[in-house]
Amino acid sequence: MHQDELEISTDRGRLDLEAVFGFLSRSYWASERSYKTMLRSIEHSMIFGVYDREKQVAFARVVTDGATMYYLCDVYVDEEYRGRGIGKRLVQAIVTSPELQGLNGLLGTKDAHGLYESYGFVRDPERLMRRRPLQD
């Protein structure tokens, strides 16, 4: 695989939902999400898929109001394809996407700060808060 053979697409019709669910189910942040929840999250987000010919090898979602902010989430590169710069190309495509220009970008990460910092994200631990859903 050469980098120029990769295609980044926002076409929902190309998504391999089984692959995306597989990616996310192996992640530290989304491993407990149900398939139904994953589908609903994709339905209400901008999506970015990376494809090696027809095989989906990476994925990301962006949640946005289209006016003031976006939240970058569920960024994932298949284990077999890591270390080839695919994550960098994916984040570059997202931050330069015309729909997101002029908007504040947010994200959460436990282990990829350097990647995101190289695209202009800065750590801001004093300002960010989160609320988890209540459990029944």
Side-chain angles (χ1 to χ4, degrees):
M1 177 206 70
H2 294 87
Q3 288 292 358
D4 54 359
E5 294 176 0
L6 292 177
E7 183 180 358
I8 298 174
S9 175
T10 58
D11 179 359
R12 289 176 194 282
R14 286 193 73 183
L15 283 178
D16 179 343
L17 295 172
E18 296 301 321
V20 172
F21 187 69
F23 295 162
L24 296 178
S25 68
R26 295 188 303 273
S27 73
Y28 67 82
W29 66 89
S31 61
E32 296 182 13
R33 279 188 210 158
S34 70
Y35 191 82
K36 181 179 174 184
T37 296
M38 181 209 58
L39 288 177
R40 198 169 61 200
S41 72
I42 288 171
E43 214 176 282
H44 296 282
S45 302
M46 290 178 64
I47 57 92
F48 293 80
V50 181
Y51 303 89
D52 180 5
R53 294 181 181 86
E54 296 305 312
K55 180 181 179 183
Q56 184 160 0
V57 299
F59 173 79
R61 277 187 322 117
V62 175
V63 181
T64 183
D65 64 6
T68 62
M69 60 79 62
Y70 67 89
Y71 178 68
L72 173 57
C73 53
D74 292 344
V75 178
Y76 196 90
V77 176
D78 187 293
E79 294 92 337
E80 182 183 331
Y81 285 79
R82 290 183 187 168
R84 302 180 192 188
I86 295 170
K88 292 177 182 177
R89 285 191 55 193
L90 178 55
V91 173
Q92 177 71 31
I94 292 166
V95 301
T96 60
S97 174
E99 298 90 343
L100 303 176
Q101 295 310 294
L103 307 184
N104 287 305
L106 302 171
L107 62 84
T109 186
K110 186 166 78 170
D111 57 4
H113 297 89
L115 167 67
Y116 297 112
E117 286 170 342
S118 67
Y119 292 96
F121 289 91
V122 296
R123 299 178 199 210
D124 193 357
E126 286 106 35
R127 295 180 59 188
L128 297 178
M129 298 176 72
R130 93 177 187 195
R131 179 180 183 274
R132 292 246 186 229
L134 299 175
Q135 300 298 318
D136 293 320

